[in-house]
Amino acid sequence: MELRSNVPDGPIEKKWDSHRFNLKLVNPANKRKHTVIVVGTGLAGASAAASMAELGYHVLNFTHNDSARRAHSIAAQGGINAAKNYQNDGDSVWRLFYDTVKGGDYRSREANVYRLAQVSANIIDQCVAQGVPFAREYGGLLSNRSFGGAQVSRTFYARGQTGQQLLLGAYQALMRQVHAKKVKLFTRHEMLDVILVDGQARGIVTRDMVSGKVESWTADAVVLATGGYGNVFFLSTNAMNCNVTAAWRAHRRGACFANPCYTQIHPTCIPVKGEYQSKLTLMSESLRNDGRVWVPKEKAVSEAIRKNQKSPNDVPDDGRDYFLERRYPSFGNLVPRDVASRNAKMVCDEGRGVAVSGLGVYLDFRDAIKRDGLDVIKEKYGNLFDMYHEITNESGYERPMMIYPAVHYTMGGLWVDYNLMSNVPGLFVLGEANFSDHGANRLGASALMQGLADGYFVIPYTIGGYLASNKAAKVGNDHAAVKDAMAGVNARVDKLLAAKGKRPVDHFHRELGKMMWEKCGMARNEAGLKEALAEIPKLREEFQRDVNVPGSASSLNQALERAGRVADFIDLGELMVRDALERRESCGGHFREESQTEEGEAKRDDENFCHVAAWEWKGDGQAQTLHKEPLTFENVKLTQRSYK
Amino acid sequence: MNVTLRVWKQPAPNQPGRFESYPAKDIPAEASFLEMLDIVNNQLESEGKEPIAFDSDCREGICGTCGIVIDGRPHGPGKAITTCQLYMRAFNEGDTITLEPWRAKAFPVLKDLVVDRAAFDRVIQAGGYISINTGNACDANALPVAKLDSDRAMDAAACIGCGACVAACKNASAMLFVSAKVSHLALLPQGQPERRTRVVAMIEQMDKEGFGNCTNESECEAECPKEISVANIARLNREFLLAKLLT
Amino acid sequence: MTPSSILKKTVMALTGLALVGFLIAHLSGNFLLFKGDKAFNAYAEFLEHQGGLLIAAEVGLLAVFLLHIYSAIRVTLENKAARPVPYETKQSGGTSTFGSRTMMISGAIILLFVILHVKMFKFTDHEHVDGELWGLVMQAFANPVIALAYMAAMVVLGLHLSHGFSSAFQTLGLTKPGWAKCYKKAGLVVGWLIAFGFFTMPLYGLVVKPKPGAKEHAPAKTIKHDENDDDASVFRPVLTEKGTVSWS
């Protein structure tokens, strides 16, 4: 199989324009004859469904949440990047493009990233027009801040709730189309399979999570905007119900899964408290603009703090190691997420960590409060401090906050070409669910940008190009492929219910998560990965035998929902490990201990690994086949990333 | 710590429900309330019993999915929090804690503590948006917005649509929710063209859904996890009356 | 088409405010009670001589009153229907008040009071009473049962106004952000002031027991009182020979 990226020819600045011109158009009168299925109602899904409906397509939109407004995009706090250069500080499309490629450690596709930077400005315009209440200056114009990894202020924000406001904007656009009857919205419906007819994606199978009814839906194209798979680690900053099932079902139907090992570990999360913990809470990395990260210089001091014999406030300045400022003088506390995370892990591994578990570093606002005053800090970060206080019962104003890295975002995902179409014709993948724009590491405030770019400004064009050039006969619900997919879903549900073992679903999820975090987390090595590769099949077998899913398939059954997702996470985990093992270099969020510089920085191997690893499903019990899409960099010179 | 839960159990919509007791044993005091429920559910599942059905997603207070009336308080004791932000340290050893779903005609129970809040979506569908197709926008800075207006719009837009206002109101009124969206859009220049039609359409839908009437007691504001102010309800009333008078 | 929820509430608010307006006018006039029988009776007579105007005003007042009651009942029924399954445990978040929670009860008590009040003072012949209307009122208040009942009713009125008055402004949208605490307090103060104003009158009657001014007023005539009157409602006035009224 050959993976064709379909990147248009010509200079990078002209690619998207010329491609849009070359894409075939669907006649306005014909658009209403086309049905498009969109799975997911996050930033990418809602914006795609609304925009396509505005164009005239008939859209069926599905979400497993009880409302389209609940998608996890809502939890993004910090902001959204756009190359507006409103601050006159030297930003440009080219700079945003450059920063994103560099931040992604040269493992993303140049053309996609350039397009992302191009449309970033349109996103802000669109969102403002929808009424998104971005932060403003007293003159009434938009305010910006700088964000991790960038030296210009290009991040637009709405207090600490940027994701919420952007999602509500997209949600409202979607609700408008539901009202106009151009979008049919199905909430509490979980997608459990993709239907392929003659190799083309022509529909999906869903389970109504309230009645338990398994149904099929057919269309001319299927768009997946189902988010990332960070919950494979059990503990992550993802919402409880985020899952890989939709993407994984598509993968099992032939869509290649690209770079699954690229996971982003976010440096500013609240440290783990105990075994019972259900998820990790992220605090916006905007905190790093004013907070200073440190641990005690002496192990003994850290130990005393851990035992509550000493207060961090009593550690004098010369006893503090501001390790990010020390090691990266020019970026300081604002180094990219992967670098900040790894350094936190390093100091904790040295025994200098501070939380009870020893896995935590300080994020200290003492100096910022001294400099700007408490009111300014409260105004900027008040809600984050409140959140920290609620969770830890400690005040971040009085005592430095404790943070530790946690899984936050997955750069990998289903492989897509320049049109955001997977290798399965008619199956498009948007937002975090695809792999394309962030390479091996995503910069802060770029996820919102990508989700909305894909939904508002890419798919509305490329879907037309596909539909105009693929005239296929309508598929009825009695088609053999539809029946086959339905039967498969029903059989799978029955199997999960039939095990009736001794352990709850969460047990297996937690075990998988622990294994993934230890062996395929912030730092990976061959031995550990090989161990994981041996252990996962055992866990799968144990799961199938010993899981207990009470209740029936014909009603609301949350244990059943979770069981299906965990089964897919186990399979995905195995692939992640395989991908991490195969990629014997360090890049971005993927850190192979065997491949590092003398100073302990990630060391890429461009000669052997400057490619996208796309894995093709070969059947249960068989290893996936690896396909490589070579990455060429014509506009950005490959250099070793340095934030010194 | 050990507590006893009295939980509303209802197998399906339109079926009778009743309270059942569950012991919650050896719960770490640092656990969140929902983590406590996870522990109880894991225990139930390993015994092959049906777990307590409840909604939750982000577990950081922003998605608006969770919502349980705990000891008579929507989202439980504590100010400006969602159920997922409630911690067991708010309870004492040996407490009996009563868990009920949001109760409103417009929010039918689907199972146990899970309710259907689609009525909120339908209210937004009726007009809670600015009609602008993708691609129509002018430059974002072409339209300055006074900071005060923008801040007030943001205050209102912070609503997470959890429905605690309805649950808290003795009349199961949705006025706080509706007023938040109407205020958010009415305060911004972008929202002006549809200002009059929007409020009328949204109120019409709100009434259709079977929510009660506002009796200005501010219980909604007291339980709102985002502290949305009832000043928005006054604004909604004003917007509605002006819309009726002027159009 | 049924009127929208806000419209119904607007009717409540507007009629409520109109009633508050009436109360203020009524109260101002009634303060003449303290000035003595002459001033008060002259005022009463002045009103009675307005003829058609008075009747129009009274009919209007009755209409406002009935509309207020009708909206209240309708809104309450809808509110009950909005939560068919009640909570087993429900606690207040602390913002509702005793007054706000009992609007229907206080309203019902006030309605009952108004009926008795009108019957007692408006539809009772006072021409032959010593001190005329003033005398009728003061003699009634001299009766501790009546005075205390009146005072209790005024407390209930205060309770009703303590929520109702400020609530009307919220319903009409006549507030702005930041005023919330302010207008609620103002509503509380005005509501209780009105109630207190009325409260002082039975108190005055009960404690001071004032007599009509020593003046040349016509000797009391005997009014015909049908002994077989079946309308033996509470507080039936019985005219004594001395021109005073006792209440049976």
Side-chain angles (χ1 to χ4, degrees):
Chain A
M1 187 180 67
E2 191 198 355
L3 292 172
R4 268 186 296 193
S5 66
N6 293 319
V7 172
D9 294 331
I12 196 156
E13 304 91 330
K14 297 267 182 280
K15 281 183 198 288
W16 179 230
D17 285 347
S18 65
H19 187 62
R20 279 193 297 174
F21 179 73
N22 290 328
L23 279 169
K24 281 190 187 168
L25 295 173
V26 179
N27 178 310
N30 285 338
K31 285 200 177 94
R32 73 174 72 97
K33 295 179 192 159
H34 288 291
T35 302
V36 180
I37 286 172
V38 178
V39 187
T41 58
L43 284 183
S47 59
S51 299
M52 288 192 286
E54 286 162 10
L55 287 172
Y57 296 112
H58 178 55
V59 178
L60 303 176
N61 193 190
F62 298 83
T63 172
H64 63 70
N65 284 305
D66 77 316
S67 163
R69 66 183 292 152
R70 313 257 186 243
H72 195 53
S73 309
I74 205 155
Q77 299 165 3
I80 176 167
N81 286 332
K84 279 285 199 185
N85 194 30
Y86 281 159
Q87 304 307 317
N88 198 29
D89 58 359
D91 198 14
S92 62
V93 168
W94 192 271
R95 187 176 295 279
L96 176 54
F97 158 66
Y98 176 86
D99 285 352
T100 308
V101 172
K102 181 188 171 199
D105 218 358
Y106 309 96
R107 290 294 175 263
S108 48
R109 200 188 277 144
E110 263 194 346
N112 286 51
V113 178
Y114 193 86
R115 174 177 64 190
L116 176 66
Q118 270 179 307
V119 301
S120 66
N122 305 64
I123 296 171
I124 302 303
D125 299 342
Q126 181 64 28
C127 294
V128 166
Q130 287 171 343
V132 171
F134 283 121
R136 286 176 186 269
E137 306 290 352
Y138 281 98
L141 301 182
L142 293 162
S143 172
N144 290 114
R145 60 183 170 203
S146 76
F147 220 68
Q151 287 177 308
V152 291
S153 290
R154 63 159 75 98
T155 304
F156 294 79
Y157 62 102
R159 293 198 189 141
Q161 292 129 274
T162 317
Q164 180 201 25
Q165 294 309 314
L166 293 174
L167 182 65
L168 291 181
Y171 158 77
Q172 285 165 205
L174 178 64
M175 290 298 106
R176 175 172 163 242
Q177 295 306 314
V178 172
H179 187 64
K181 299 203 162 42
K182 293 302 296 175
V183 174
K184 240 180 154 173
L185 179 66
F186 300 87
T187 56
R188 294 195 194 265
H189 277 66
E190 183 163 30
M191 181 200 126
L192 294 177
D193 207 354
V194 181
I195 297 166
L196 261 57
V197 175
D198 301 330
Q200 293 181 331
R202 295 302 303 273
I204 61 169
V205 179
T206 61
R207 179 173 177 273
D208 179 330
M209 292 155 72
V210 177
S211 69
K213 195 172 172 208
V214 172
E215 290 162 285
S216 62
W217 311 87
T218 57
D220 300 301
V222 176
V223 178
L224 298 187
T226 50
Y229 49 86
N231 271 350
V232 67
F233 291 92
F234 186 67
L235 285 181
S236 80
T237 65
N238 284 5
M240 300 303 287
N241 299 312
C242 290
N243 65 82
V244 76
T245 291
W248 195 255
R249 296 285 120 192
H251 173 56
R252 290 175 61 102
R253 289 281 174 188
C256 286
F257 212 106
N259 301 335
C261 77
Y262 290 166
T263 45
Q264 180 166 76
I265 316 286
H266 197 291
T268 54
C269 297
I270 297 174
V272 179
K273 297 164 291 170
E275 180 77 4
Y276 57 87
Q277 193 149 350
S278 59
K279 80 154 263 163
L280 295 171
T281 305
L282 168 93
M283 291 189 301
S284 169
E285 107 183 290
S286 62
L287 289 169
R288 285 201 278 147
N289 284 336
D290 287 304
R292 300 178 68 194
V293 178
W294 65 276
V295 288
K297 277 185 182 158
E298 305 290 333
K299 242 164 88 169
V301 177
S302 298
E303 216 158 284
I305 290 175
R306 288 203 291 269
K307 288 184 186 148
N308 219 358
Q309 292 160 347
K310 197 177 173 84
S311 159
N313 292 330
D314 299 337
V315 180
D317 264 0
D318 59 2
R320 299 176 174 201
D321 177 13
Y322 291 97
F323 54 93
L324 291 178
E325 294 170 26
R326 171 172 57 82
R327 296 193 64 195
Y328 309 96
S330 78
F331 278 71
N333 294 299
L334 292 175
V335 290
R337 291 173 173 176
D338 57 333
V339 179
S341 297
R342 213 151 42 234
N343 277 279
K345 177 177 160 40
M346 266 159 52
V347 294
C348 290
D349 288 350
E350 289 166 16
R352 295 194 286 146
V354 288
V356 179
S357 59
L359 299 176
V361 299
Y362 285 125
L363 178 65
D364 200 336
F365 281 79
R366 185 193 62 180
D367 298 342
I369 292 172
K370 226 183 272 170
R371 185 187 65 223
D372 299 340
L374 189 61
D375 291 345
V376 174
I377 298 299
K378 271 193 178 163
E379 155 86 23
K380 267 188 181 168
Y381 308 110
N383 63 328
L384 297 170
F385 276 76
D386 292 348
M387 187 173 88
Y388 182 81
H389 187 256
E390 264 159 29
I391 294 172
T392 60
N393 214 10
E394 270 182 24
S395 163
Y397 300 113
E398 288 158 19
R399 217 182 135 96
M401 293 181 176
M402 277 188 293
I403 54 169
Y404 198 66
V407 174
H408 176 54
Y409 187 90
T410 51
M411 281 73 68
L414 292 176
W415 184 89
V416 289
D417 67 3
Y418 189 68
N419 294 313
L420 301 182
M421 189 167 85
S422 70
N423 56 306
V424 174
L427 180 70
F428 292 79
V429 190
L430 316 183
E432 191 179 348
N434 74 25
F435 88 102
S436 71
D437 295 357
H438 305 297
N441 176 51
R442 178 178 66 76
L443 291 181
S446 284
L448 301 181
M449 171 172 72
Q450 186 224 338
L452 290 179
D454 290 359
Y456 284 134
F457 296 110
V458 180
I459 190 76
Y461 298 97
T462 60
I463 195 98
Y466 171 77
L467 293 172
S469 46
N470 278 277
K471 306 254 184 318
K474 292 272 168 215
V475 175
N477 274 328
D478 50 354
H479 194 285
V482 176
K483 286 184 173 164
D484 175 56
M486 295 266 287
V489 166
N490 280 319
R492 200 160 163 269
V493 168
D494 292 343
K495 193 177 160 196
L496 289 169
L497 285 166
K500 292 282 175 267
K502 293 239 171 332
R503 289 183 187 280
V505 177
D506 281 359
H507 164 79
F508 300 97
H509 197 174
R510 203 175 275 121
E511 289 299 307
L512 174 70
K514 254 188 238 162
M515 193 190 307
M516 295 299 291
W517 180 244
E518 277 161 23
K519 312 249 159 89
C520 195
M522 258 191 287
R524 299 140 180 200
N525 61 51
E526 188 173 335
L529 290 167
K530 281 189 169 155
E531 277 167 36
L533 212 49
E535 283 168 29
I536 290 175
K538 285 186 214 155
L539 184 69
R540 180 187 296 120
E541 189 273 329
E542 204 189 319
F543 171 80
Q544 288 168 350
R545 179 168 44 79
D546 205 22
V547 74
N548 195 329
V549 182
S552 76
S554 59
S555 71
L556 199 154
N557 188 338
Q558 292 172 328
L560 176 64
E561 292 160 19
R562 277 181 282 132
R565 294 168 193 167
V566 170
D568 289 336
F569 274 135
I570 293 174
D571 290 356
L572 167 79
E574 192 176 22
L575 181 65
M576 284 174 72
V577 171
R578 191 166 287 137
D579 187 47
L581 189 61
E582 185 70 30
R583 191 170 282 279
R584 293 178 303 279
E585 64 157 352
S586 295
C587 61
H590 171 64
F591 188 76
R592 277 289 294 265
E593 287 168 357
E594 299 90 335
S595 178
Q596 51 181 311
T597 64
E598 277 165 22
E599 294 160 307
E601 301 294 336
K603 197 169 124 198
R604 286 200 323 269
D605 176 356
D606 292 330
E607 204 154 308
N608 296 304
F609 294 99
C610 195
H611 61 245
V612 177
W615 298 86
E616 187 190 359
W617 179 256
K618 284 288 163 191
D620 277 311
Q622 306 211 32
Q624 282 98 329
T625 326
L626 174 63
H627 301 278
K628 294 176 184 172
E629 180 204 334
L631 291 170
T632 50
F633 291 88
E634 293 161 357
N635 300 280
V636 181
K637 217 175 100 209
L638 286 168
T639 54
Q640 197 67 36
R641 270 193 322 164
S642 170
Y643 292 93
K644 293 276 174 192
Chain B
M1 63 194 288
N2 301 294
V3 293
T4 306
L5 306 178
R6 283 185 67 240
V7 185
W8 179 261
K9 290 288 287 178
Q10 181 175 335
N14 303 319
Q15 284 192 27
R18 65 197 170 92
F19 283 96
E20 267 177 44
S21 281
Y22 297 88
K25 285 185 186 141
D26 303 324
I27 306 297
E30 309 84 48
S32 75
F33 189 81
L34 294 184
E35 282 163 353
M36 178 274 292
L37 282 182
D38 290 340
I39 294 172
V40 172
N41 275 349
N42 276 333
Q43 185 59 39
L44 289 171
E45 282 172 44
S46 55
E47 293 163 9
K49 294 179 190 152
E50 274 213 58
I52 301 161
F54 66 94
D55 265 334
S56 94
D57 202 22
C58 78
R59 297 224 176 164
E60 50 189 77
I62 192 72
C63 72
T65 307
C66 64
I68 303 173
V69 174
I70 301 161
D71 283 343
R73 301 278 306 272
H75 294 310
K79 209 172 152 43
I81 55 165
T82 55
T83 304
C84 65
Q85 293 172 303
L86 177 66
Y87 284 80
M88 290 308 287
R89 58 175 178 262
F91 299 93
N92 297 315
E93 173 71 31
D95 278 357
T96 296
I97 308 170
T98 304
L99 285 74
E100 294 180 80
W102 282 179
R103 296 250 185 239
K105 186 179 157 204
F107 289 167
V109 172
L110 296 177
K111 185 172 186 175
D112 301 352
L113 305 171
V114 178
V115 299
D116 180 6
R117 286 167 291 194
F120 270 7
D121 286 334
R122 289 190 291 270
V123 170
I124 299 294
Q125 283 160 22
Y129 44 75
I130 287 167
S131 296
I132 176 158
N133 285 357
T134 305
N136 277 338
C138 60
D139 184 84
N141 261 353
L143 193 69
V145 182
K147 187 169 175 2
L148 184 66
D149 290 338
S150 173
D151 285 350
R152 283 197 178 140
M154 180 64 211
D155 288 342
C159 167
I160 58 173
C162 64
C165 45
V166 175
C169 177
K170 77 180 198 310
N171 313 320
S173 166
M175 287 283 275
L176 192 65
F177 169 78
V178 179
S179 74
K181 191 43 68 191
V182 165
S183 290
H184 162 209
L185 299 175
L187 280 162
L188 293 173
Q190 302 93 304
Q192 297 312 306
E194 296 164 290
R195 184 172 174 180
R196 308 263 184 248
T197 48
R198 174 187 306 120
V199 63
V200 173
M202 287 178 75
I203 288 296
E204 212 167 89
Q205 187 64 36
M206 177 190 89
D207 289 346
K208 243 188 247 169
E209 297 292 347
F211 292 108
N213 302 283
C214 175
T215 48
N216 304 328
E217 295 177 67
S218 310
E219 289 284 336
C220 49
E221 183 186 278
E223 300 294 7
C224 175
K226 298 296 151 188
E227 301 184 291
I228 307 285
S229 163
V230 291
N232 290 302
I233 296 184
R235 188 183 288 107
L236 168 65
N237 289 329
R238 187 163 65 237
E239 290 289 325
F240 180 83
L241 293 173
L242 285 177
K244 281 285 186 189
L245 285 173
L246 301 180
T247 50
Chain C
M1 206 190 85
T2 52
S4 83
S5 53
I6 296 184
L7 230 45
K8 272 174 278 185
K9 291 280 309 174
T10 307
V11 170
M12 280 275 279
L14 288 175
T15 53
L17 285 181
L19 291 170
V20 168
F22 162 74
L23 283 178
I24 292 173
H26 189 36
L27 181 66
S28 332
N30 280 11
F31 274 129
L32 290 171
L33 275 173
F34 296 109
K35 237 190 138 187
D37 56 340
K38 214 167 166 189
F40 184 78
N41 289 338
Y43 162 66
E45 209 162 310
F46 165 77
L47 287 183
E48 276 163 17
H49 280 94
Q50 297 308 311
L53 212 59
L54 181 72
I55 292 171
E58 282 175 345
V59 169
L61 186 63
L62 183 68
V64 165
F65 198 64
L66 291 178
L67 213 53
H68 192 72
I69 295 167
Y70 171 75
S71 319
I73 292 172
R74 204 162 157 186
V75 162
T76 305
L77 289 177
E78 282 171 5
N79 291 350
K80 293 277 170 252
R83 176 164 294 136
V85 184
Y87 289 110
E88 195 192 69
T89 52
K90 181 71 180 73
Q91 284 181 17
S92 161
T95 53
S96 64
T97 58
F98 181 70
S100 74
R101 286 190 296 268
T102 53
M103 288 300 273
M104 269 316 267
I105 300 168
S106 57
I109 294 173
I110 292 166
L111 173 64
L112 191 73
F113 165 78
V114 167
I115 292 170
L116 291 176
H117 173 64
V118 169
K119 186 169 160 48
M120 255 169 100
F121 291 147
K122 186 167 174 63
F123 294 110
T124 299
D125 189 350
H126 55 74
E127 270 177 39
H128 312 291
V129 178
D130 188 13
E132 295 183 30
L133 185 58
W134 184 90
L136 186 75
V137 172
M138 283 307 157
Q139 286 177 34
F141 289 163
N143 178 334
V145 176
I146 296 176
L148 288 175
Y150 258 74
M151 287 189 273
M154 289 310 105
V155 172
V156 174
L157 178 70
L159 216 53
H160 196 77
L161 293 182
S162 70
H163 175 68
F165 192 57
S166 63
S167 182
F169 287 94
Q170 169 81 358
T171 297
L172 296 174
L174 300 175
T175 68
K176 54 179 269 184
W179 283 16
K181 280 205 178 97
C182 195
Y183 81 78
K184 275 201 172 163
K185 275 194 189 125
L188 211 67
V189 169
V190 172
W192 280 112
L193 270 182
I194 293 174
F196 179 72
F198 284 115
F199 185 88
T200 55
M201 292 160 194
L203 188 69
Y204 173 69
L206 180 67
V207 175
V208 179
K209 297 198 196 327
K211 296 282 172 276
K215 50 173 180 152
E216 59 322 332
H217 66 87
K221 290 175 196 158
T222 313
I223 66 162
K224 289 228 176 359
H225 201 85
D226 189 354
E227 294 294 327
N228 300 323
D229 190 356
D230 280 342
D231 182 21
S233 55
V234 211
F235 300 141
R236 200 168 57 145
V238 179
L239 203 67
T240 66
E241 284 173 1
K242 282 184 283 176
T244 56
V245 189
S246 76
W247 303 80
S248 61

